[in-house]
């Protein structure tokens, strides 16, 4: 049961344009969402997060949007740069009364290629 | 400041054998989570260790076990290896039992033949 879904396995974007990566989730108990970036032969690197009490969080060129009613989030990268070429994972977590955000559920990833 | 280090980087084992993977968390971190990433998939949560205890576990059989030491380093043990256990095993460190915004190691590539 894939609770976090990234339906686009790959995406190609011209340098300087906007990259939009999408993610859907099915578990309404998730209340914290993250994006990770992964380069080959490296572990994932945390990029940006958003709590379910917000609908937008911005950090430099990266903005995450959350639509709770649609159970959908997206990551916008503006402007896209060749160094952004990587696999992007959407992830989600839920607060546990036993001790906070412990388990993180990842999507299958979207490979972004930014073309110079 | 050393980040998350995992050892070994690559490992080949025979079906039925046992394997131990090791992880040293980022300096200052006290929480270690382990993930399995199969080819073409996202990381799958195995379990988390905090204060030397397993705090939460994903959908993995009891063949998967772990340990956290007083210095916060951790081991992942897998018994009775199956071909399907072949994957990249990732260790993530964080602070205070929080599994989010974690720092990942480069992973251990396990191949079961």
């Amino acid at each position: 049961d894939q609770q976090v879904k990234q339906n686009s396995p790959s995406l190609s974007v011209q340098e300087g344009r906007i990259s939009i990566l999408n993610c859907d989730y099915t578990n309404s108990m998730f209340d914290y969402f993250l994006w990770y970036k992964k380069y080959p032969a490296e572990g994932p690197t945390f990029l940006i997060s958003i709590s379910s009490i917000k609908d937008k969080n911005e950090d430099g060129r990266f903005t995450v949007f959350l639509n709770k009613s649609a159970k959908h989030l997206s990551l916008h990268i503006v402007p896209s740069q060749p160094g952004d070429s990587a696999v992007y994972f959407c992830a989600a977590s839920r607060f546990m009364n036993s001790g906070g955000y412990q388990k993180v559920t990842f999507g299958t990833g979207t490979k972004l290629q930014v073309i110079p | 400041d050393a980040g998350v280090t995992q050892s070994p980087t690559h490992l080949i084992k025979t079906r039925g054998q046992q394997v131990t993977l090791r992880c040293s968390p980022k300096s200052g971190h006290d929480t270690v989570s382990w993930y399995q990433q199969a080819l073409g998939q996202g990381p799958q949560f195995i379990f988390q260790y905090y204060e030397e205890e397993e705090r939460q576990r994903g959908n993995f059989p009891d063949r998967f076990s772990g340990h956290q030491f007083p210095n916060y380093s951790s081991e992942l043990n897998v018994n009775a290896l199956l071909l399907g256990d072949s994957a990249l095993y990732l260790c993530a460190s964080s602070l205070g039992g929080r599994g989010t915004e974690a720092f990942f190691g480069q992973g251990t590539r396990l191949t079961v033949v």
Side-chain angles (χ1 to χ4, degrees):
Chain A
D1 177 26
Q2 190 68 32
Q3 297 185 60
V4 178
K5 302 177 184 179
Q6 295 177 257
N7 292 320
S8 297
S10 62
L11 175 68
S12 288
V13 172
Q14 287 291 132
E15 180 179 3
R17 305 294 292 269
I18 183 171
S19 294
I20 300 176
L21 295 95
N22 293 305
C23 176
D24 298 293
Y25 62 96
T26 58
N27 189 340
S28 58
M29 299 298 291
F30 288 142
D31 57 0
Y32 198 79
F33 304 89
L34 311 95
W35 285 93
Y36 277 84
K37 177 171 72 174
K38 186 180 185 301
Y39 293 117
E42 294 184 11
T45 302
F46 169 71
L47 198 56
I48 192 169
S49 62
I50 187 168
S51 166
S52 61
I53 62 173
K54 295 185 176 181
D55 55 17
K56 176 183 174 181
N57 189 26
E58 191 171 352
D59 184 2
R61 297 186 297 115
F62 302 91
T63 303
V64 56
F65 295 91
L66 175 63
N67 183 333
K68 283 181 293 183
S69 60
K71 294 191 180 67
H72 177 84
L73 64 157
S74 61
L75 174 67
H76 293 209
I77 306 174
V78 183
S80 300
Q81 299 174 353
D84 296 330
S85 297
V87 176
Y88 288 78
F89 289 103
C90 171
S93 187
R94 56 173 289 198
F95 186 85
M96 304 294 289
N97 290 331
S98 60
Y101 295 100
Q102 300 165 356
K103 176 181 177 180
V104 179
T105 300
F106 282 79
T108 53
T110 296
K111 185 175 183 179
L112 173 66
Q113 182 183 21
V114 179
I115 304 166
Chain B
D1 178 24
V4 181
T5 57
Q6 292 187 243
S7 62
T9 54
H10 295 84
L11 199 53
I12 299 176
K13 287 286 189 178
T14 302
R15 189 172 48 181
Q17 285 189 314
Q18 178 264 345
V19 68
T20 297
L21 310 181
R22 294 176 176 82
C23 173
S24 292
K26 178 179 169 64
S27 178
H29 282 185
D30 57 8
T31 304
V32 172
S33 302
W34 285 93
Y35 291 83
Q36 179 196 67
Q37 186 178 10
L39 202 60
Q41 301 296 315
Q44 298 290 312
F45 178 84
I46 302 175
F47 42 51
Q48 182 195 78
Y49 277 86
Y50 172 61
E51 295 183 334
E52 301 181 48
E53 290 187 358
E54 181 182 298
R55 300 183 75 228
Q56 194 171 3
R57 189 180 183 91
N59 294 327
F60 281 82
D62 292 344
R63 298 187 296 109
F64 289 77
S65 63
H67 188 78
Q68 185 178 36
F69 299 93
N71 67 352
Y72 309 123
S73 67
S74 177
E75 289 182 348
L76 166 65
N77 300 293
V78 187
N79 294 323
L81 284 166
L82 304 173
L83 297 179
D85 294 332
S86 295
L88 179 69
Y89 288 84
L90 293 162
C91 167
S93 80
S94 52
L95 202 54
R98 187 179 175 105
T100 53
E101 292 97 1
F103 287 75
F104 280 81
Q106 84 285 0
T108 294
R109 173 71 63 186
L110 172 65
T111 302
V112 182
V113 297

